[in-house]
Amino acid sequence: QISQVSDAITVFENDHLSNTCKRILDIKSPSFDDMNSVVVKTLAQTLLPSYNAVDHQPIALMKDTISHYCSYPGYKFLTMRCIPQKSAVNQHFATYQWKMIINHIAQ
């Protein structure tokens, strides 16, 4: 089984990805490439290392993130949410403020 040989498992549902493409990214008929693009952006933002802007020291590496969220071997499934997602047309008008981002998460 995949759960026995992996540290973490993330499941993305095609219905949710399709809805994200349609409602948020304004893609009328999303393809698998469009949905995969959403997955890639979500994974990249979560798993790429973060660095402190002052001394450029790593804040979080993938192994640290996985070991933190999956510290108990029986709980390996992760749910990821990635915000903000904007269509290319709306990118020019977007202002990213914490209050707006938190409201978007609540939706």
Side-chain angles (χ1 to χ4, degrees), residues 6-107:
S6 60
D7 293 326
I9 300 167
T10 303
V11 177
F12 291 92
E13 297 178 27
N14 285 346
D15 293 341
H16 291 192
L17 295 170
S18 178
N19 286 339
T20 298
C21 289
K22 288 177 184 177
R23 292 186 312 129
I24 298 173
L25 302 178
D26 296 328
I27 301 172
K28 294 191 186 335
S29 180
S31 66
F32 282 113
D33 287 339
D34 296 326
M35 292 188 284
N36 285 339
S37 176
V38 172
V39 171
V40 167
K41 288 177 185 176
T42 303
L43 288 174
Q45 291 177 3
T46 306
L47 300 177
L48 288 176
S50 302
Y51 290 93
N52 186 330
V54 176
D55 57 5
H56 301 290
Q57 294 297 315
I59 296 171
L61 300 173
M62 184 171 79
K63 66 179 182 65
D64 298 331
T65 303
I66 297 296
S67 64
H68 174 74
Y69 289 119
C70 300
S71 57
Y72 182 72
Y75 301 118
K76 295 183 178 186
F77 284 95
L78 301 175
T79 300
M80 295 186 181
R81 296 184 184 206
C82 177
I83 59 156
Q85 294 180 3
K86 302 282 182 193
S87 68
V89 174
N90 293 333
Q91 284 290 345
H92 302 291
F93 306 105
T95 58
Y96 300 110
Q97 299 174 352
W98 280 110
K99 184 175 181 181
M100 180 189 72
I101 293 171
I102 290 170
N103 288 339
H104 188 72
I105 289 174
Q107 293 175 355

